C-alpha cells in the first residue's frame, strides 16, 4: 500500500483540509520557488490547491499533477483552465515519468500519508534533472496543530477506548523535528534547507470546527459512528467546552505550523 490517506471525496477534502492547504500553498511556493520556463511536477496534487497556483508565480512551461486518488485528479481537471496544467492518477512511490523530466518537484501535505516516504523522495530525485529542486512540506502534526491536538487530547481524556488512535493521528511519518531533512540528506540531495511555515486556521464557530472534523478524511468519523449515541454526545460536548473555553460561541483562530524542506538534485 502506497497511501494511508482515506478519501471522502473531493468536496469533503476541500471542506476539511483544502481550505487550509490553499492558505499554505503560497507560503510553500515562496519557499520552494518556481521559475519561468520550468516543467514542474506536483506529487500528491489533490484537488489542486498548489498546482493551480503555480502559473501565477512563474511563466512555467508545464505543470504535471499526480495523485493516488482518481477523484481528486478529476476535480483538479474540472477546475483547471490552463492548458499548461495536466493531471493524472499516479503513485508517489512509482512516479509515471522518466528520468530527469522535470526541473522541480513539489510535494505538499503528502509524505506523512506515504508508508515508505523515502521511496517517494527517491522517485522525485529520479524524475528531476541534476541541478533541479525537490521541495516538500508536511504538517507538524504533533506540536504544530493546536486545533487538532485540542480534539485528540479531549477525546482520549474522556473516552479511553480512543487512546490507541491518538498516536497514529499525531505522530505521522516525516513529521518529527528534522526527520524530513534527514531523509532528504540520506537520499543524496544537496544544499538541503528546512523552514517552518505558519498559517492560521479560522473557524466561524464551534459547528464550523466540529462538522468538517467528524465528516472529514480519516478513520475518525467511521470510528465515532460505532460509539453509542450517549458517548458521541459526551465527546461532542467536551470538545465544545474546550473550543469555547468559557467564552461565547463564535470565531476562533488557531496557528498551524508545517515543516518544509528543499534540496538540489546532484549530478548523476
Ligand atoms: C492532505 S492531501 C494534500 C493534497 C494537496 N497536495 C493539497 O495540499 O491540497 C494528501 C494527498 O496525498 C495523496 N497521496 C497520498 N499518498 C499518495 C501516493 N502514494 N501517491 C500519490 N498521492 C498520494 C492523497 O490522495 C491526497 O490527495
Amino acid at each position: 500500500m502506497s497511501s494511508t490517506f482515506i478519501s471522502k471525496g473531493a468536496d469533503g477534502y476541500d471542506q476539511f483540509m483544502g481550505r487550509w492547504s490553499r492558505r499554505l500553498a503560497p507560503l510553500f511556493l515562496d519557499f520552494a520557488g518556481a521559475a519561468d520556463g520550468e516543467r514542474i511536477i506536483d506529487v500528491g496534487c489533490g484537488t489542486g490547491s498548489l498546482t493551480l497556483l503555480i502559473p501565477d508565480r512563474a511563466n512555467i512551461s508545464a505543470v504535471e499533477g499526480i495523485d493516488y486518488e482518481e477523484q481528486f485528479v478529476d476535480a483538479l481537471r474540472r477546475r483547471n483552465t490552463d492548458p499548461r496544467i495536466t493531471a493524472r492518477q499516479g503513485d508517489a512511490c512509482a512516479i509515471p515519468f522518466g528520468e530527469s523530466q522535470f526541473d522541480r518537484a513539489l510535494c505538499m501535505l503528502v509524505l506523512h500519508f506515504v508508508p515508505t516516504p523515502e521511496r517517494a523522495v527517491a522517485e522525485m530525485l529520479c524524475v528531476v534533472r541534476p541541478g533541479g529542486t525537490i521541495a516538500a512540506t508536511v504538517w507538524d502534526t504533533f506540536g504544530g496543530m493546536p486545533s487538532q491536538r485540542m480534539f485528540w487530547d479531549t477525546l482520549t481524556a474522556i473516552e479511553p477506548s480512543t487512546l490507541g488512535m491518538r498516536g497514529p493521528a499525531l505522530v505521522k511519518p516525516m513529521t518529527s523535528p528534522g526527520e524530513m531533512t534527514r531523509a532528504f540528506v540520506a537520499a543524496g540531495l544537496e544544499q538541503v534547507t528546512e523552514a517552518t511555515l505558519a498559517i492560521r486556521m479560522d473557524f466561524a464557530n464551534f459547528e464550523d470546527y466540529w462538522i468538517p472534523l467528524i465528516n472529514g478524511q480519516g478513520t475518525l468519523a467511521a470510528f465515532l459512528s460505532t460509539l453509542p449515541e450517549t458517548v458521541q454526545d459526551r465527546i461532542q460536548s467536551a470538545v465544545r467546552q474546550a473550543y469555547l473555553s468559557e467564552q461565547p460561541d463564535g470565531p476562533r483562530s488557531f496557528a498551524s505550523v508545517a515543516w518544509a524542506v528543499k534540496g538540489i538534485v546532484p549530478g548523476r
Side-chain angles (χ1 to χ4, degrees):
M1 185 179 59
S2 286
S3 176
T4 57
F5 186 79
I6 297 173
S7 167
K8 286 189 114 186
D11 291 344
Y13 175 76
D14 281 334
Q15 196 196 9
F16 177 64
M17 190 47 69
R19 68 201 268 207
W20 312 126
S21 74
R22 277 193 294 279
R23 287 192 180 182
L24 186 64
L27 304 187
F28 180 50
L29 214 40
D30 288 346
F31 172 77
D36 290 354
E38 283 189 343
R39 264 174 67 79
I40 297 178
I41 182 165
D42 182 5
V43 177
C45 57
T47 57
S49 297
L50 177 69
T51 329
L52 299 174
L53 187 68
I54 297 171
D56 291 350
R57 294 299 182 92
N59 186 17
I60 42 91
S61 115
V63 181
E64 301 272 0
I66 66 159
D67 199 279
Y68 208 66
E69 293 286 338
E70 187 78 56
Q71 56 187 328
F72 286 1
V73 171
D74 285 344
L76 192 162
R77 286 195 192 116
R78 281 196 299 276
R79 278 172 200 165
N80 179 40
T81 54
D82 188 327
R84 295 169 299 172
I85 297 178
T86 46
R88 63 167 83 173
Q89 197 277 336
D91 184 354
C93 296
I95 296 181
F97 289 97
E99 201 174 286
S100 302
Q101 296 279 300
F102 295 96
D103 301 292
R104 201 176 295 264
L106 308 179
C107 189
M108 186 169 94
L109 305 180
V110 178
L111 291 180
H112 43 349
F113 293 112
V114 180
T116 52
E118 303 79 11
R119 176 81 217 143
V121 175
E123 285 285 299
M124 288 192 276
L125 213 130
C126 175
V127 299
V128 173
R129 64 164 172 82
T133 299
I134 294 175
T137 184
V138 293
W139 291 122
D140 176 2
T141 46
F142 185 84
M145 295 187 89
S147 63
Q148 303 276 306
R149 178 164 276 285
M150 181 177 80
F151 169 77
W152 283 106
D153 287 347
T154 305
L155 183 67
T156 49
I158 66 161
E159 183 51 40
S161 68
T162 62
L163 262 175
M165 299 181 77
R166 179 171 54 180
L170 297 181
V171 185
K172 293 188 168 156
M174 293 286 159
T175 62
S176 61
E179 191 179 353
M180 202 159 51
T181 297
R182 288 192 293 278
F184 270 44
V185 170
L189 284 155
E190 294 173 347
Q191 300 171 47
V192 176
T193 52
E194 183 182 300
T196 290
L197 309 178
I199 63 155
R200 299 209 65 96
M201 291 181 163
D202 297 310
F203 301 95
N205 48 37
F206 175 69
E207 193 179 303
D208 186 36
Y209 168 80
W210 178 252
I211 299 293
L213 200 59
I214 58 164
N215 287 339
Q217 321 294 313
T219 49
L220 177 70
F223 170 76
L224 284 180
S225 66
T226 66
L227 298 174
E229 224 167 89
T230 50
V231 178
Q232 291 185 40
D233 290 348
R234 205 156 48 86
I235 291 169
Q236 178 170 349
S237 161
V239 177
R240 187 167 194 278
Q241 278 177 38
Y243 179 91
L244 298 184
S245 297
E246 295 80 48
Q247 304 297 312
D249 195 4
R252 300 288 189 276
S253 183
F254 297 83
S256 204
V257 171
W259 305 109
V261 175
K262 65 180 171 184
I264 304 293
V265 176
R268 298 195 218 280

